[in-house]
Amino acid sequence: METYEELRQLLDEKASQYNHPDFIASDPIQIPRQFAQKENIEIAGFLAATIAWGQRPTIIKNAFKLMAMMDQKPYEFLMHTEEQDWGHFLDFKHRTFNGVDCLFFLRSLQNIYRKHEGLEAVFTKGYQTDQSMASALRYFRQVFFEVPFEARSQKHVSNIDKGASAKRLNMYLRWMVRQDDCGVDFGLWKQIPMSALLLPLDVHTGRQARQLGLLTRKQDDWKAVLELTEKLRAFDPHDPVKYDFALFGMGAFE
């Protein structure tokens, strides 16, 4: 068993190793990295994160396809087109995320940008309820399902009150909120502090965290997210989710 200081040093070294522009080429974050406009980055990032499960090359290919279907201008597309012109999205499919889900997601995003001032405003308003990411995720889910939807689409937006780890949403929030000079995360959103972010827990980060003695809970669920993030705050209370790079990199690439 490594000592606290040895473990902190290992995690810091691995975080620095993987939090590097070279990481982008194999990660879905390359999808929003195509864009310069804030709203395009937000929307492209959200859609890429939404389908970020399965084989990474397939995730990236399908996310690029979605951007092409929106004429490489996702914000303009949502603001200036109507649902009757969206029929081609019925053919979109990524694993269990199908055309029906895709149309609902576009409809909901359109509602968020037309009536709620955008994704940043929604997550920030939720966070400011009690300064917690749990409230941010709950409020976002509430707003997201304001527009008509089919029951099948609910499974594609994590419900932490049912124990979901919310891996893809927490990854998206890391992309939008985390700020450093490494060139991977965007740091676009300024009203949610990095210290509040939660680790995007998946099979790689969970397995690696357990091997290092950072996580005792056996399930990769919401309680595990809270347990692991709290452990990581002991190493860096200002920026605990920088260790996502370390745990994911060690688990997926080593």
Side-chain angles (χ1 to χ4, degrees), residues 14-77:
K14 292 298 181 180
S16 295
Q17 177 183 339
Y18 290 107
N19 185 13
H20 186 277
D22 289 346
F23 180 82
I24 296 169
S26 64
D27 194 80
I29 201 172
Q30 68 185 271
I31 308 303
R33 277 275 163 209
Q34 301 173 88
F35 300 102
Q37 183 181 354
K38 175 180 182 285
E39 291 82 1
N40 282 335
I41 293 168
E42 291 171 343
I43 295 164
F46 180 78
L47 291 171
T50 293
I51 63 169
W53 86 101
Q55 296 293 321
R56 286 154 71 81
T58 305
I59 295 165
I60 291 163
K61 180 188 74 173
N62 286 338
F64 274 124
K65 180 180 179 181
L66 261 183
M67 296 303 104
M69 293 171 77
M70 301 174 82
D71 301 321
Q72 306 296 347
K73 299 174 182 176
Y75 177 63
E76 186 176 316
F77 180 88

Side-chain angles (χ1 to χ4, degrees), residues 61-252:
K61 180 188 74 173
N62 286 338
F64 274 124
K65 180 180 179 181
L66 261 183
M67 296 303 104
M69 293 171 77
M70 301 174 82
D71 301 321
Q72 306 296 347
K73 299 174 182 176
Y75 177 63
E76 186 176 316
F77 180 88
L78 289 177
M79 297 303 285
H80 300 298
T81 66
E82 299 299 334
E83 189 170 348
Q84 58 263 29
D85 301 318
W86 297 355
H88 56 302
F89 287 95
L90 277 172
D91 296 326
F92 183 82
K93 183 173 176 61
H94 176 80
R95 297 175 70 90
T96 62
F97 185 89
N98 69 10
V100 170
D101 304 315
C102 192
L103 285 174
F104 162 64
F105 268 63
L106 296 179
R107 193 184 309 126
S108 184
L109 286 168
Q110 186 180 72
N111 178 63
I112 283 171
Y113 278 88
R114 287 183 173 179
K115 297 184 179 177
H116 292 276
E117 301 180 354
L119 283 162
E120 178 181 11
V122 171
F123 278 106
T124 300
K125 183 175 180 180
Y127 172 76
Q128 291 175 343
T129 303
D130 63 2
Q131 314 298 302
S132 81
M133 297 314 299
S135 291
L137 291 166
R138 287 190 182 101
Y139 181 67
F140 166 75
R141 196 172 196 279
Q142 174 188 326
V143 171
F144 203 75
F145 287 102
E146 278 183 352
V147 301
F149 61 92
E150 293 194 20
R152 59 159 290 115
S153 297
Q154 290 181 287
K155 67 177 179 289
H156 294 298
V157 182
S158 296
N159 186 349
I160 61 172
D161 291 319
K162 292 187 176 180
S165 70
K167 177 255 181 178
R168 287 169 284 166
L169 287 172
N170 282 322
M171 179 179 73
Y172 175 67
L173 288 163
R174 194 205 84 203
W175 292 355
M176 294 299 108
V177 173
R178 246 194 109 254
Q179 173 70 59
D180 62 18
D181 297 322
C182 296
V184 181
D185 294 328
F186 288 93
L188 283 176
W189 297 356
K190 306 301 184 185
Q191 297 182 72
I192 297 173
M194 294 195 301
S195 59
L197 291 172
L198 298 172
L199 191 92
L201 181 64
D202 67 7
V203 63
H204 300 293
T205 53
R207 181 173 62 240
Q208 195 61 43
R210 291 181 185 96
Q211 288 177 358
L212 293 171
L214 292 168
L215 180 60
T216 59
R217 189 167 177 80
K218 292 181 171 59
Q219 301 97 321
D220 292 331
D221 60 7
W222 180 246
K223 288 182 179 179
V225 170
L226 298 179
E227 178 190 338
L228 180 53
T229 304
E230 199 57 38
K231 293 276 184 63
L232 296 174
R233 286 196 178 111
F235 297 112
D236 189 337
H238 173 64
D239 185 16
V241 301
K242 76 178 183 187
Y243 296 118
D244 184 33
F245 290 102
L247 295 172
F248 179 81
M250 294 166 73

